[in-house]
């Protein structure tokens, strides 16, 4: 009897009315208890192990990714119900384009289906007021996938209570490169002068031209009046041609353009140009499948107070019972951190 068959029997048993009802109430009670302590605002998941899960259970790789999406739906409900405000998931790495073409094609087809499901059956996101944001290199997304991405963002833009960041396609190096380029542009672009209807030099030269005309005694009075009226009218237009006989102005001193001081660039300045600039700091980073590396995900966002957890379970297996120990440990560490800060004072 295969592991997948046993897994189906287990799921059927857990969903039976006699088991599901008390189990659901137990989950609600557990989540309510956890909410009595501090809750992380930002949690990131590196959803690893879908292919290994499929291989272990002798199913197609794409089916493993489908089961991984079901795990994501479970995790989102757990996080938002606990009070987490931002969930960031690593859906597709730029490096994944190097995988076999049939797998990449299958992943893109699945992305369209799952994004459409989020839009059509978005009760979960609407229930917790979560809006979708897609972070990454938009120009690498295939043209047939872009409409689904835009529709998912558009249909959830009214949700302001929580955020689901989908990194697709993404690497931290690409994000940091983009942030540094934006910072360089900000500090090397000349400040724009305020817009005025006329330049000061043009107004001055026009006045001198008028004075030259008025001093010419050979002009008739009617002609002078006509010229005066014409000059008034001309002054209302920025396209009036200057009198070629008007005296030339001396060369005006060139004003030195002042750029921002590059010494003022700080980590906060660069952070303001990252994809997650308006998100709270990353509290918890979770990677499944037993791999103990970050794999170019959230490298900038991981800071001195980010708690990183590497779990042995594969992503399709991840559930509340895997998340509870992580949350309890994070709450315990927060308590210890608070005690240290209080003793320093």
């Amino acid at each position: 009897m295969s592991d997948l068959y046993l897994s189906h029997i287990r799921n059927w048993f857990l969903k039976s009315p006699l088991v599901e009802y008390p189990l659901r109430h137990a989950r609600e009670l557990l989540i309510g208890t956890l909410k009595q302590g501090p809750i992380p605002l930002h949690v990131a998941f590196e959803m690893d192990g879908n292919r290994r899960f499929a291989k272990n259970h002798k199913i197609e790789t794409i089916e493993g990714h489908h089961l991984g999406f079901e795990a994501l739906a479970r995790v989102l409900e757990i996080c938002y119900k606990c009070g987490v405000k931002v969930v960031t998931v690593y859906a597709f790495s730029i490096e994944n384009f190097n995988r076999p073409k049939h797998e990449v094609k299958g992943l893109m087809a699945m992305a369209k289906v799952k994004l459409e499901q989020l839009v059509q059956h978005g009760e979960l996101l609407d229930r917790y007021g979560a809006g979708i944001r897609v972070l990454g290199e938009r120009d690498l997304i295939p043209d047939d996938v872009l409409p689904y991405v835009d529709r998912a963002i558009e249909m959830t833009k009214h949700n302001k209570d929580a955020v689901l960041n989908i990194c697709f396609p993404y690497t931290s190096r690409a994000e940091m490169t983009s942030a540094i380029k934006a910072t360089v542009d900000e500090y090397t672009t000349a400040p724009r002068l305020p817009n005025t209807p006329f330049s000061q030099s043009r107004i001055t030269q026009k006045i001198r031209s008028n004075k030259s005309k008025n001093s010419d005694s050979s002009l008739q009075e009617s002609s002078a009046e006509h010229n005066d009226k014409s000059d008034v009218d001309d002054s209302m237009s920025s396209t009036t041609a200057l009198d070629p006989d008007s005296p030339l102005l001396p060369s005006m001193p060139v004003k030195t353009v002042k750029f921002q001081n590059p010494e003022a660039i700080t980590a906060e300045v660069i952070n303001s140009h990252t994809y997650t600039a308006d998100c709270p700091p990353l509290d918890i980073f979770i990677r499944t499948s037993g791999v103990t590396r970050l794999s170019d995900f959230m490298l900038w966002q991981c800071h001195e107070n980010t708690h990183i957890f590497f779990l042995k379970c594969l992503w399709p297996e991840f559930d509340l019972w895997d998340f509870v120990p992580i949350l309890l440990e994070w709450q315990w560490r927060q308590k210890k951190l608070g005690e240290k800060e209080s003793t320093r004072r």
Side-chain angles (χ1 to χ4, degrees):
M1 188 177 293
S2 68
D3 291 340
L4 184 60
Y5 184 72
L6 291 174
S7 177
H8 285 320
I9 293 178
R10 174 178 172 273
N11 291 336
W12 172 83
F13 177 73
L14 293 176
K15 291 181 180 179
S16 61
L18 291 176
V19 177
E20 184 182 16
Y21 181 78
L23 187 60
R24 185 173 68 249
H25 280 271
R27 291 166 67 99
E28 295 291 337
L29 180 62
L30 180 57
I31 290 175
T33 303
L34 292 172
K35 291 174 68 174
Q36 301 307 309
I39 296 296
L41 295 179
H42 189 176
V43 179
F45 293 95
E46 190 157 355
M47 307 178 293
D48 193 17
N50 293 339
R51 291 193 299 173
R52 202 180 314 169
F53 182 89
K55 183 179 180 181
N56 292 345
H57 292 83
K58 298 179 175 59
I59 59 177
E60 293 293 331
T61 300
I62 198 66
E63 182 63 23
H65 291 299
H66 279 291
L67 294 173
F69 180 83
E70 293 179 5
L72 173 61
R74 293 195 305 267
V75 168
L76 289 177
E77 183 160 20
I78 293 168
C79 288
Y80 294 141
K81 190 174 289 186
C82 286
V84 177
K85 294 300 181 184
V86 179
V87 176
T88 302
V89 296
Y90 201 2
F92 192 87
S93 169
I94 294 175
E95 302 299 328
N96 287 347
F97 284 111
N98 297 325
R99 291 184 178 184
K101 290 185 178 180
H102 70 276
E103 184 177 349
V104 174
K105 185 177 180 180
L107 288 172
M108 291 300 164
M110 187 185 71
K112 293 191 290 186
V113 172
K114 298 309 178 183
L115 286 169
E116 188 67 18
Q117 287 179 353
L118 286 174
V119 171
Q120 294 179 353
H121 309 286
E123 298 88 356
L124 174 63
L125 297 176
D126 288 337
R127 189 187 316 152
Y128 298 103
I132 294 175
R133 299 196 326 172
V134 178
L135 314 181
E137 301 298 301
R138 180 182 173 87
D139 56 335
L140 296 179
I141 301 176
D143 293 338
D144 60 325
V145 181
L146 271 176
Y148 295 87
V149 171
D150 294 336
R151 192 178 304 120
I153 296 172
E154 180 68 21
M155 294 295 290
T156 61
K157 69 178 183 180
H158 61 281
N159 294 333
K160 304 295 183 181
D161 296 332
V163 174
L164 170 59
N165 289 326
I166 303 176
C167 296
F168 171 83
Y170 168 95
T171 62
S172 283
R173 286 174 296 173
E175 179 185 18
M176 288 188 282
T177 301
S178 173
I180 291 172
K181 284 181 178 179
T183 303
V184 170
D185 289 342
E186 178 185 351
Y187 277 75
T188 57
T189 301
R192 297 182 62 180
L193 297 176
N195 293 327
T196 57
F198 306 104
S199 65
Q200 185 64 37
S201 59
R202 178 179 178 81
I203 294 173
T204 304
Q205 190 164 356
K206 190 65 180 176
I207 292 173
R208 292 188 179 182
S209 175
N210 293 341
K211 289 182 177 180
S212 175
K213 290 180 180 180
N214 292 335
S215 63
D216 190 350
S217 58
S218 64
L219 294 176
Q220 297 180 359
E221 183 177 354
S222 59
S223 177
E225 290 177 357
H226 176 74
N227 287 339
D228 289 341
K229 181 178 178 182
S230 176
D231 289 337
V232 172
D233 292 339
D234 289 346
S235 66
M236 300 300 293
S237 172
S238 60
T239 59
T240 304
L242 295 176
D243 191 336
D245 297 329
S246 60
L248 296 176
L249 288 175
S251 59
M252 301 294 290
V254 179
K255 294 184 178 180
T256 304
V257 177
K258 293 184 178 179
F259 295 94
Q260 297 188 63
N261 183 5
E263 295 297 328
I265 298 177
T266 62
E268 288 73 20
V269 173
I270 297 177
N271 187 72
S272 68
H273 293 290
T274 60
Y275 300 149
T276 58
D278 55 349
C279 295
L282 182 61
D283 295 308
I284 296 177
F285 180 106
I286 299 172
R287 177 167 187 168
T288 55
S289 82
V291 177
T292 56
R293 61 176 184 269
L294 303 185
S295 296
D296 214 353
F297 178 51
M298 304 294 280
L299 300 184
W300 176 267
Q301 289 78 6
C302 287
H303 55 90
E304 65 274 12
N305 291 324
T306 300
H307 300 289
I308 301 176
F309 298 89
F310 297 110
L311 307 182
K312 292 183 178 180
C313 69
L314 303 177
W315 176 249
E317 302 168 334
F318 190 87
D319 203 350
L320 173 64
W321 315 112
D322 301 292
F323 188 61
V324 167
I326 292 174
L327 191 53
L328 288 174
E329 183 174 344
W330 182 84
Q331 290 178 338
W332 179 80
R333 291 182 180 180
Q334 290 299 112
K335 180 181 178 181
K336 292 296 182 182
L337 183 62
E339 291 175 353
K340 287 183 179 179
E341 291 179 354
S342 61
T343 55
R344 289 175 182 175
R345 296 175 185 174

